[in-house]
Amino acid sequence: MKSITVILPQLRLYTPAIPRNKTRLSSIRVLLDSTFSRPIYIGTFRDIVQGGNDTMGKKDKGSKDQPKFNLKVPKGTRDWDGKDMVIRDKIFQNIVTVFKRHGAQTIDTPVFELREILSGKYGEDSKLIYDLADQGGEFCSLRYDLTVPFARWLAMNPNIQSIKRYHISKVYRRDQPAMTKGRMREFYQCDFDIAGAYDPMIADAEILRITTEILDSLDLGTYTIKINHRKILDGLFEVCGVPADKIRTISSAVDKLDKLSWEDVRKEMTEEKGLDPNVADKIGGYVIKKGREELLSELLKDEDLNSNESLKKGFSDMGLLFEYLTIFNVMPRISFDLSLARGLDYYTGIIYEVVTEASAAPASKGKETKKPKLAVDSNDPDADRSNDDTIGIGSIAAGGRYDELVGMFSQSAKGAIPCVGISFGVDRIFSIKKAKMDEQSVRLNEVDVFIMAFGSGLLKERMQVARSLWDAGIKAEFSYKVKPKLPAQFKAAEINGIPFAVILGQDELARGEVKLKELGLPEGHPEKEGVTVSLDNLAEEVKKRIGPQTVSTVDDLLTTTDELVLDGTK
């Protein structure tokens, strides 16, 4: 095909040769400017790029072979909107309120990292990392968590030797999804970490105090903080006779005891990982134990255990931590659980995770059921297992101490900063919270006042009242119709759960007054029909009635603490 040149007055449009049938373009009329007596139709743009206007006048019937696709989101992901967004945002607000109460500052890091940064940090779960295609010579992966990026950030900023940091963002794992149980491939984590060299167990105790404050404010029901120590677990394995090169893999197997029976875990250790059955049986005698201070006392009396240096260090840390947790009133929530292992390779000390009544799989709760419901296809790793009774929500928060992770990225000894932290799984918390809530009570917005009018609509007057309320920091809205019907205005306020209405009328406005009405009052209430308020005092009266403007919790209640006075100082 030849190149084509179209000459227009004061414009030279050049179109290079384009092979036929490579482009489908809608018809575009090419008109010459008013130099000519009338517009001249040159042809469709397709005609021009195909080398002529021999198709003039023919209808474009469209391509029969236009590709079709299934309009959906990828497996393990979802859209968020409506009441679900409101509930999730309230959860975020609760969590951030507590983080800030404890002096944290926030950071943000890229959603993808160099692959070498993430590799070798997650044990057997490394297979769940999403690797990206080569983009310009850098091999990258989507972040698996927020902890490793934080450690990398600390190593890149050696001037920062201590920080309380929180980070709320999405992470990605190619895990088998169970959407209604908060198990997704794209999900939010809310992390709080304390970095810096401090005396033992003080920062660890505050992390667990933060955990109880957040979960109590969310009102999720009964929960337990399972706690263990990597040095205790490693020492137990050594005493039982686990070879050094198998400690991490055996640790990963033990970590499955919350999902599998001891028989299944023992089978994995002996048949799949080659552990001596006698050694496995010794491990089984310990990992079934759980308790609090009394379990620690029992272990301290075991002579075999106290000959191991790793165990002695772990017992010392745990005893000190229990003292601090008693002061912080956290001990009633604690379960010292020797089966807790946490499969991530970077933990070096205290480890913990939070479970609720909804964490365990329905089929494992000991209730008689006709037949456990299973996933659509148990052999399909991508199948959504929301209806699988063998799958539960799992832990809703987890973390621990990782003293060596930053040093793995740092070029100097100064960069080896000890850290401890916790991560909250917002999507799992959401699934529990939503199941407990009456969705009818969830408001889609936080508007306090709906401005409405009788008769002619009074649009400009409604706009003026809205402006005055906005100027006063009051959340208000009005109908965008010029003459809205009064029932429709009340209906709009009712649908959005707006508590107050400001009602405008010609006669009242002439007197400089409006009616302020609290919606939903019962019959017979003295203010059922509203109260007359001066326009000049409207904002002040509204503020008095709606109360102080604060960030609300999931249940629209913000827990506040009275000022603490120590030695006469607030």
Side-chain angles (χ1 to χ4, degrees):
M1 172 182 164
K2 298 179 180 179
S3 296
I4 302 165
T5 303
V6 179
I7 307 296
L8 302 179
Q10 301 177 350
L11 175 66
R12 184 178 182 89
L13 174 65
Y14 175 75
T15 61
I18 301 177
R20 287 177 177 271
N21 302 323
K22 288 292 185 183
T23 311
R24 296 188 69 252
L25 300 168
S26 60
S27 297
I28 303 173
R29 291 181 178 275
V30 180
L31 303 179
L32 304 183
D33 82 5
S34 56
T35 304
F36 292 86
S37 58
R38 62 184 179 84
I40 298 176
Y41 178 70
I42 300 299
T44 68
F45 193 83
R46 184 193 294 111
D47 296 336
I48 295 175
V49 299
Q50 289 183 347
N53 59 359
D54 56 313
T55 58
M56 279 179 61
K58 293 182 181 179
K59 274 189 175 181
D60 179 14
K61 296 181 180 179
S63 172
K64 293 181 180 179
D65 60 350
Q66 183 175 355
K68 295 181 180 179
F69 58 92
N70 185 13
L71 194 61
K72 69 181 202 62
V73 297
K75 289 181 179 180
T77 67
R78 58 161 293 184
D79 293 319
W80 291 82
D81 54 37
K83 293 180 179 180
D84 286 355
M85 277 294 293
V86 174
I87 296 171
R88 192 179 72 172
D89 283 349
K90 296 293 187 184
I91 293 171
F92 284 144
Q93 290 173 16
N94 273 37
I95 292 173
V96 171
T97 296
V98 176
F99 285 170
K100 291 183 175 180
R101 184 186 302 157
H102 287 262
Q105 56 182 285
T106 189
I107 69 167
D108 195 14
T109 61
V111 73
F112 52 90
E113 296 273 351
L114 293 176
R115 196 171 301 172
E116 61 198 42
I117 295 293
L118 304 182
S119 63
K121 311 298 189 304
Y122 304 108
E124 294 183 357
D125 285 346
S126 293
K127 62 182 181 292
L128 304 180
I129 295 175
Y130 275 100
D131 290 328
L132 303 178
D134 178 13
Q135 299 288 338
E138 287 188 335
F139 293 95
C140 299
S141 301
L142 294 178
R143 62 188 173 202
Y144 177 92
D145 65 6
L146 301 178
T147 304
V148 172
F150 174 54
R152 189 265 306 151
W153 177 83
L154 280 171
M156 290 179 62
N157 295 273
N159 57 309
I160 299 175
Q161 291 295 298
S162 63
I163 186 175
K164 285 183 178 180
R165 150 273 193 193
Y166 76 89
H167 188 185
I168 298 177
S169 201
K170 289 181 177 180
V171 298
Y172 301 84
R173 299 179 186 178
R174 201 183 186 285
D175 207 350
Q176 186 163 15
M179 300 298 290
T180 62
K181 298 174 182 178
R183 293 176 172 266
M184 294 184 273
R185 291 178 168 179
E186 177 193 61
F187 56 95
Y188 269 99
Q189 284 190 335
C190 298
D191 281 24
F192 184 102
D193 294 81
I194 300 174
Y198 301 106
D199 290 334
M201 298 297 105
I202 300 174
D204 310 63
E206 184 170 2
I207 291 288
L208 294 171
R209 169 65 194 192
I210 289 167
T211 302
T212 60
E213 287 182 24
I214 288 174
L215 297 179
D216 288 345
S217 73
L218 291 170
D219 189 25
L220 299 178
T222 303
Y223 65 89
T224 300
I225 303 174
K226 296 166 63 175
I227 189 170
N228 201 358
H229 198 297
R230 262 293 169 80
K231 292 190 181 299
I232 292 176
L233 198 61
D234 291 351
L236 279 175
F237 292 156
E238 291 172 7
V239 170
C240 292
V242 178
D245 62 342
K246 291 184 181 294
I247 284 181
R248 281 292 165 261
T249 58
I250 298 304
S251 177
S252 296
V254 169
D255 199 41
K256 298 174 184 176
L257 277 171
D258 62 335
K259 310 178 190 72
L260 303 175
S261 66
W262 165 247
E263 290 73 20
D264 289 334
V265 170
R266 183 184 185 279
K267 182 178 180 180
E268 178 180 333
M269 290 193 296
T270 56
E271 296 184 12
E272 296 179 24
K273 299 181 176 177
L275 187 66
D276 185 316
N278 293 325
V279 174
D281 291 338
K282 289 180 182 178
I283 293 172
Y286 285 110
V287 297
I288 60 172
K289 296 178 182 292
K290 58 185 68 176
R292 295 195 183 102
E293 296 97 334
E294 75 283 356
L295 175 56
L296 180 59
S297 298
E298 177 188 335
L299 296 174
L300 286 170
K301 295 174 184 176
D302 190 319
E303 294 182 2
D304 291 338
L305 300 184
N306 280 285
S307 63
N308 182 277
E309 290 301 318
S310 179
L311 279 164
K312 285 197 290 187
K313 169 61 176 168
F315 291 157
S316 174
D317 283 349
M318 196 66 78
L320 189 58
L321 179 65
F322 284 172
E323 291 181 26
Y324 297 154
L325 293 181
T326 300
I327 295 171
F328 284 160
N329 195 30
V330 176
M331 278 305 294
R333 302 290 193 180
I334 294 295
S335 172
F336 180 16
D337 190 331
L338 291 179
S339 71
L340 180 64
R342 300 291 298 145
L344 305 184
D345 285 349
Y346 51 68
Y347 288 123
T348 58
I350 291 291
I351 50 176
Y352 34 79
E353 68 178 27
V354 182
V355 295
T356 71
E357 294 172 338
S359 294
S364 68
K365 293 182 179 179
K367 297 180 181 179
E368 292 185 6
T369 57
K370 294 180 180 178
K371 186 177 180 181
K373 292 184 290 184
L374 300 178
V376 176
D377 182 357
S378 58
N379 295 319
D380 180 3
D382 296 322
D384 183 3
R385 302 182 70 183
S386 292
N387 294 323
D388 187 342
D389 281 349
T390 66
I391 298 294
I393 286 176
S395 63
I396 59 173
R401 175 161 286 280
Y402 52 103
D403 288 346
E404 299 170 4
L405 183 58
V406 180
M408 294 172 65
F409 300 126
S410 180
Q411 302 298 318
S412 67
K414 182 182 178 183
I417 303 173
C419 302
V420 63
I422 191 164
S423 178
F424 294 87
V426 170
D427 300 280
R428 295 185 182 188
I429 292 173
F430 167 85
S431 65
I432 296 173
K433 191 63 191 177
K434 185 177 180 180
K436 291 169 64 70
M437 291 183 72
D438 175 12
E439 284 196 66
Q440 299 301 318
S441 66
V442 178
R443 293 178 56 189
L444 291 176
N445 61 43
E446 297 183 2
V447 172
D448 291 312
V449 180
F450 194 94
I451 304 155
M452 53 184 74
F454 289 104
S456 59
L458 302 171
L459 174 62
K460 293 182 179 179
E461 290 79 358
R462 284 185 287 134
M463 295 173 78
Q464 289 171 350
V465 171
R467 183 202 65 203
S468 68
L469 293 179
W470 293 336
D471 287 345
I474 296 170
K475 302 164 187 171
E477 65 179 5
F478 59 93
S479 171
Y480 291 159
K481 289 184 174 293
V482 174
K483 294 182 179 180
K485 294 180 179 179
L486 192 61
Q489 295 176 84
F490 274 109
K491 185 67 175 177
E494 178 187 348
I495 289 173
N496 289 309
I498 299 174
F500 291 93
V502 171
I503 305 171
L504 280 58
Q506 291 281 11
D507 295 341
E508 289 84 352
L509 286 173
R511 298 192 299 269
E513 297 172 340
V514 295
K515 186 165 284 188
L516 177 60
K517 176 177 171 63
E518 183 174 354
L519 303 177
L521 292 176
E523 292 294 336
H525 193 283
E527 293 187 359
K528 174 68 175 176
E529 301 304 318
V531 295
T532 301
V533 179
S534 164
L535 269 173
D536 294 336
N537 296 327
L538 177 61
E540 182 180 345
E541 184 64 27
V542 169
K543 284 184 176 181
K544 187 187 302 181
R545 289 173 178 266
I546 65 178
Q549 297 295 286
T550 57
V551 177
S552 57
T553 68
V554 177
D555 298 312
D556 296 322
L557 293 171
L558 176 67
T559 41
T560 58
T561 21
D562 296 331
E563 290 177 317
L564 181 67
V565 179
L566 294 175
D567 299 327
T569 304
K570 287 185 180 181

